[in-house]
Amino acid sequence: MTWTGGSLPISLRPLPGEALESWLGAYAQRLHATNSALLDAIGLTGARTAQMAVRLAAHEADALHHATGISRPVLTAMTLDPYDRLAVTIHPDRRRLVRPPAWRFSAARTRYCPACLAQNAGRGPVFWRLPWAFACPTHHILLRDVCPDCHRPPHPWTARRLGPPAVGVCTRDNLTSRKDHTGRRPCGADLSRAPALPLPETGLVLPAQRHILTLLAGDARARPMALAELKQHYALAWRVLRGLHTVADQAPDVVRTALAECGGALPQLTGEDIGHDAHNAALGTALAHVALHPGHRDHNALFDWILEADQSLQKGPRATIGRRARRWSWSGPALVERALARLDSQATLQARLRYASASPRPRWPTLHADTIVQRAALIPSMLWPGWTMRLLPRLKDTGKLRVGAFRRGCSSFLLLPGGPPELNFARVGPLLDNHQIHTDRDSVERRLYRDRDLTPLASTLAQLAYALDTHGAPIDYARRRATFTHAGLTFDQHAFKRLCAQHGLSTGQHHRAALLRWYLLMLLTGEMHPPPHGASPRFAWHCTEFRFRAPPALRAFLRRQAQDNLARHRIDEPLTWEPPDSWVTGVTWPGTSPTDLDPSGVRDLLSTVTSVNEAGDALGLTTEHIRLYCDLTDISTTTPSNAIGNLSNQLTPRAAEVRRGILAPEQLRDLYTHQQLELAHIARMASCSPDTVRALLIHDNIPLRPQAGRLPPRPDITRVWLHREYVQRRRTMAALARERRVSHYHLTHLAREWDLPIRSTERRYNAIGHLTLPWTPSPAIQAVTASPTALDRLRTLIQVPGHPSIAAAARAIYNARDSALRQRITKIEKAAGFQIIDRSTNPLTPTKPGRAFLQEATQILEAAEETDTRP
């Protein structure tokens, strides 16, 4: 052939999807030339077809375009370049293939379909060059990897000088030719006649191949999703192929079906990796497609078997859920989440929460410790009442099951989802001021949920935790925990007395005031605090009873008091709040949802029952469910209780008749307001006590007249003077009364009105009031010496340092009463507010603040000794 440049004299159009090597080989055969001669003729001397088939250089694409008239985009589509970083990986500096993004490296080998070669005169598509090619969707057969004669990967599209005369035959050198034969001879096997394994059209392999083709044919916008799914297919496929050699006896039926469809032979393994032949690719991808896409009856069973196959490949003891799920991280979050979900039942509660494996959306924990600290500010120390009702099982008896500890444990567990491994349950509890770690965890796992399914609890807490991170909460519980304590509350006692008078309640004494402040603190912080110092042994029981029996008017009053406390600290937040129901889905509650109860029906029921147990039996709930519902809705029983306070006046029938006379509202108003009669006078007329008259006046909103002062005013007796002389200088009340020529009652009454502490008048009183000290004692000394045996306390304490132990000190200075000395030291330190003696040292030494305290105590004792010995 003589050709002087320009377009080739003979035109050959490429087939749809044809490979560049196939087209060049067919073109060379059409021109009766070799591949290299064709390239030389169009100006590409020295170019290599194998490199061009991977990626065309710019000058190569231009030369082919000018010589053949084929557009550059069409030429590029015939190479592997469009599949770079999707199905193959092309070396950035050299035009050669390296390991693909998904699937094992298969170099430049070409699989083939004999029927396609026969139909297209030996030509074939570029798709055969991809590692994801394993079946022919047109002829429904498994692709071939090797030549049937020489059993090597064929080169079907190379036109050589010594033949063969057509494309579609094996051009590999014939290794069986005679040694004396000159030159190299090709194998020459007709690949179109090679036997092939037929595949059922409705089986497992062909649908998988069609799906892979769809992924590879997507546009640029779909490439990230396609690559992610290809990685998932490969992650599942290689585990399938390895699992057939380890746990095949445990495989579901679909594995045997796919194996039979692919010829029945087990996949071949090469070293530590799977083989790269079409059989392996077909079997692994077909089963991966079933495990990845719902619809097949063995969809979940196959994935579970793949997880077990993966576990069988690991050496050593059975790995934790985290280590097993981490092996899937390369394939992307979708398979990690699914692996976590399937491994959920094998994990501990802490692991299930950390990975959210029981929730509808498991996820790998990626949150930093700072995020968990921020979440802690959104969570009360005890789980919200409504969510506790949902998660609290309906057990017959929860009285001894530490429900309060259960609520604290659940709140602490809320800090585990998504967090780092170092923030375990023991370390997150203190973020919520929950320090009873073992008790809280024991109440959740070993008491209330013993022998029960933990899935509802694990799923709910994980969903709530992530929803809090996303949506936040309107209450900063961390600020409230730091702001509101028993000592920091403000309670309007006068408003409370008016409320009691209006509703016929008894105001009670110190115990009832402490009970109300306890409930007020619960409203503000969302948790039930321990009884205050000095509370009675029955205080905790009364608190529990109060939650069930507090009248609506009293609950409303306490809510107003709580809101006033918030306003006083300039906290603009709702008083109470709970996460909405929509934050948690897919959970069957072991308890009951508050929305499932009819408020009016519950209110009617509580108006008739006499105990919380009776209400629980009627509703099929535990007693704590009833109390939680009362906390949540402000509904309570109408049955009176000593924990709340009964009517302030138990009027007899005769007194009730009198109420219609003298004590009738209008008559009482006239006697007290217009006739200006005293309370005692009206009480004698009505045959009742003055307190009853006063309560009725308050109930009728009749303003009380100010009481006349019982004590004559004394300008020389002021609060500043009494505080200085009695509190600071520690002088006795009797001495001050004699000095001012007033009665002892006079000064005591004024001290109570001015909120000054009254010291004991016990005969053994030996405090420091009689001492003339040149300095004002420190607050710690003042608190310790308020005791009637103050000097004895100081004398004992200063002798303790220097002894090997408390027991040794007791033997030396306290008649060997070890426990008595320990108790006395503890009371002194409690009054001082800090530790004075360091028990961990030998010999005993004072602490840093204790050293200053003992030095001042020594000076006081020296002053007392000088005063006592002074003539």
Side-chain angles (χ1 to χ4, degrees), residues 36 63 174 232 237 264 337 580 720 728 739 769 783 807 813 824 838 847 861:
S36 59
N174 191 345
Q232 294 172 23
E337 293 176 5
V720 175
Q728 295 183 349
E739 179 182 310
I813 66 174
R824 186 160 207 178
D838 187 356
T847 62
L861 290 173

Side-chain angles (χ1 to χ4, degrees), residues 32-61:
H32 301 283
T34 64
N35 285 27
S36 59
L38 173 62
L39 296 178
D40 291 342
I42 61 177
L44 295 177
T45 303
R48 299 178 60 184
T49 306
Q51 291 181 334
M52 295 172 61
V54 174
R55 175 179 289 160
L56 284 173
H59 72 281
E60 294 171 343

Side-chain angles (χ1 to χ4, degrees), residues 59 88 111 167 189-190 246 402 451 483 557 570 589 786 828:
H59 72 281
V88 297
R111 295 175 184 144
V167 295
D190 187 357
T246 56
R402 300 176 180 173
D451 301 327
T483 303
F557 168 78
R570 298 182 179 179
W589 309 120
I828 294 173

Side-chain angles (χ1 to χ4, degrees), residues 484 488-499 516-517 519-521 523-524 553-569 575:
F484 299 109
L489 288 178
T490 302
F491 185 78
D492 191 342
Q493 189 68 31
H494 297 291
F496 173 62
K497 289 181 179 179
R498 289 195 298 270
L499 175 77
L516 297 178
R517 295 174 71 89
Y519 190 84
L520 179 60
L521 190 59
L523 288 175
L524 288 168
L554 186 54
R555 289 183 186 269
F557 168 78
L558 291 173
R559 283 186 170 271
R560 290 193 299 271
Q561 290 291 301
Q563 291 167 349
D564 290 344
N565 276 269
L566 291 176
R568 189 170 292 105
H569 289 275
L575 177 58

Side-chain angles (χ1 to χ4, degrees), residues 675-695:
Q675 299 184 33
Q676 294 291 306
L677 297 181
E678 295 294 332
L679 296 179
H681 188 185
I682 299 175
R684 286 193 298 271
M685 294 172 59
S687 300
C688 64
S689 69
D691 290 338
T692 300
V693 178
R694 181 182 293 105

Side-chain angles (χ1 to χ4, degrees), residues 764 766 784 787-797 814 817-831 836 839:
R764 294 178 60 248
N766 64 343
V784 172
S787 167
T789 57
L791 295 178
D792 289 343
R793 286 177 137 190
L794 299 182
R795 289 191 187 98
T796 302
L797 193 64
Y814 219 67
R817 294 180 296 161
D818 181 10
S819 60
L821 179 58
R822 293 179 186 275
Q823 185 177 9
R824 186 160 207 178
I825 295 174
T826 301
K827 288 184 177 180
I828 294 173
E829 290 178 336
K830 188 173 184 180
I836 299 174
R839 281 80 156 172

